[in-house]
Amino acid sequence: AQSVTQLDSQVPVFEEAPVELRCNYSSSVSVYLFWYVQYPNQGLQLLLKYLSGSTLVKGINGFEAEFNKSQTSFHLRKPSVHISDTAEYFCAVSEVGRGSTLGRLYFGRGTQLTVWP
Amino acid sequence: NAGVTQTPKFQVLKTGQSMTLQCAQDMNHNSMYWYRQDPGMGLRLIYYSASEGTTDKGEVPNGYNVSRLNKREFSLRLESAAPSQTSVYFCASSVQTATGGLSYEQYFGPGTRLTVT
């Protein structure tokens, strides 16, 4: 079965500092990988996704993530954060071509990013 | 396009009451999902519908039923609400295709905040 581990439940950083939010997954098959962001009292919004091709994926708001198959990781990074990046971030995984479970997402427990002035 | 819409936005129920959460999408997506979000638990899948006419249990289906009314609509019913069902409920939809340009990401509604007293 799929599992997704977000290694940090809370990440506090100062404005303009770099940040990395870590995500590891386990799966016996090929996967697609996603990062979502949730601002307070809102639904989830897709930040970026990895389906195939280049392992470095760029998303919205200056975020990027790197897929590392050997380490089964998909860490999210931003070189310089803003206060407006304060939100909860979720890593998610979907198995490739698994019949009725096609497209089903497995989520990590989330990382709360708080950016201080 | 409205995307994914959910009604109601807020609801308070007494233990034992029943209610139906409504979800509709206008993106012609095949698959639809219901999640619940609890603090520190991430999103947990309740039920999903890979295509019109099919539904499957997710991780936490007990106490819930679903109906895929047509391609657009997917409702979640609580027959006898319990305090443990106090949560934020999200509906999502996605399209899975086997052709080029496939897109497995899910699009989320704004959520329903349910309190059971």
Side-chain angles (χ1 to χ4, degrees):
Chain A
Q2 287 276 2
S3 71
V4 181
T5 303
Q6 291 185 241
L7 295 156
D8 305 294
S9 59
Q10 309 231 11
V11 173
V13 294
F14 287 108
E15 197 173 18
E16 298 183 9
V19 71
E20 178 179 80
L21 306 184
R22 297 178 293 168
C23 173
N24 286 86
Y25 68 93
S26 67
S27 176
S28 57
V29 300
S30 296
V31 296
Y32 298 130
L33 297 153
F34 306 87
W35 276 98
Y36 284 85
V37 60
Q38 184 181 32
Y39 298 103
N41 300 313
Q42 294 188 25
L44 276 72
Q45 177 184 350
L46 182 70
L47 262 184
L48 49 78
K49 63 185 177 185
Y50 170 80
L51 302 182
S52 65
S54 172
T55 57
L56 183 63
V57 179
K58 294 191 185 300
I60 61 171
N61 301 339
F63 284 92
E64 63 181 32
E66 185 152 23
F67 170 49
N68 187 318
K69 189 174 181 180
S70 62
Q71 297 188 3
T72 60
S73 68
F74 191 54
H75 300 333
L76 181 71
R77 301 185 183 101
K78 186 169 182 178
S80 175
V81 294
H82 301 286
I83 289 179
S84 58
D85 292 322
T86 294
E88 190 151 26
Y89 292 78
F90 293 94
C91 180
V93 170
S94 178
E95 294 178 322
V96 178
R98 265 292 181 95
S100 65
T101 65
L102 199 66
R104 176 176 169 174
L105 281 179
Y106 297 83
F107 283 88
R109 294 193 171 195
T111 297
Q112 174 64 44
L113 174 65
T114 302
V115 181
W116 299 100
Chain B
N1 281 353
V4 180
T5 57
Q6 292 182 239
T7 55
K9 284 188 167 50
F10 301 94
Q11 183 71 48
V12 178
L13 291 178
K14 293 188 190 311
T15 297
Q17 287 185 317
S18 62
M19 80 160 294
T20 300
L21 281 65
Q22 305 286 355
C23 173
Q25 52 91 10
D26 61 2
M27 297 174 283
N28 201 34
H29 285 173
N30 315 70
S31 301
M32 298 184 74
Y33 311 81
W34 276 106
Y35 294 91
R36 60 177 289 173
Q37 184 180 27
D38 303 291
M41 300 296 292
L43 277 79
R44 292 182 292 170
L45 184 66
I46 305 171
Y47 270 94
Y48 65 107
S49 171
S51 61
E52 190 178 352
T54 68
T55 61
D56 287 286
K57 294 179 181 179
E59 300 169 67
V60 289
N62 291 345
Y64 305 96
N65 285 302
V66 290
S67 296
R68 183 74 182 266
L69 305 168
N70 47 54
K71 192 171 187 180
R72 289 187 64 248
E73 298 171 288
F74 189 38
S75 62
L76 178 72
R77 183 160 178 84
L78 287 69
E79 290 291 351
S80 178
S84 60
Q85 294 177 306
T86 292
S87 188
V88 182
Y89 291 85
F90 288 101
C91 177
S93 70
S94 69
V95 59
Q96 290 85 45
T97 72
T99 60
L102 58 83
S103 170
Y104 285 72
E105 69 257 34
Q106 293 182 12
Y107 295 81
F108 284 80
T112 294
R113 193 172 295 271
L114 175 67
T115 302
V116 183
T117 61

